[in-house]
Amino acid sequence: MEQEKKKVDRRVLYTKMFLRESLLELMKEKPIGKITPTELCRRAEINRNTFYTHYDSPEALLGSIEDELYGQVQRSLGRS
């Protein structure tokens, strides 16, 4: 059972990684407000249902990227 949980976690991590990369690529082309979940999913090659399992919108995905970056900065400054 523990091994199955690790596999699921790894897949979730990969999915989120592809979504983040795809969002950042799309943001080079257009503002966040113009990016649709459909085109984001197409770029990441994932199903829209999978996207909505993790995020409510492209803006929510961007917020999670910002939160993670902020956390990394905090930890590197020793302020966790």
Side-chain angles (χ1 to χ4, degrees):
M1 192 121 213
E2 182 67 30
Q3 191 173 19
E4 287 180 32
K5 186 176 179 181
K6 287 182 182 180
K7 286 183 182 179
V8 171
D9 291 345
R10 184 173 292 143
R11 285 184 291 198
V12 168
L13 291 174
Y14 282 127
T15 298
K16 288 183 174 186
M17 180 185 69
F18 286 123
L19 284 169
R20 288 176 179 154
E21 289 175 0
S22 297
L23 179 65
L24 295 174
E25 288 173 12
L26 285 167
M27 287 179 66
K28 291 177 185 176
E29 301 169 14
K30 60 173 91 175
I32 185 75
K34 300 282 184 178
I35 297 172
T36 65
T38 301
E39 69 182 324
L40 180 56
C41 292
R42 207 174 292 136
R43 178 75 60 109
E45 297 180 358
I46 65 159
N47 186 295
R48 274 186 31 188
N49 289 333
T50 303
F51 171 80
Y52 285 116
T53 298
H54 303 290
Y55 305 103
D56 295 329
S57 65
E59 291 84 2
L61 172 55
L62 179 59
S64 77
I65 294 170
E66 291 169 344
D67 291 344
E68 184 178 325
L69 180 59
Y70 181 72
Q72 289 174 355
V73 169
Q74 290 287 66
R75 284 188 297 281
S76 72
L77 295 175
R79 298 181 185 162
S80 48

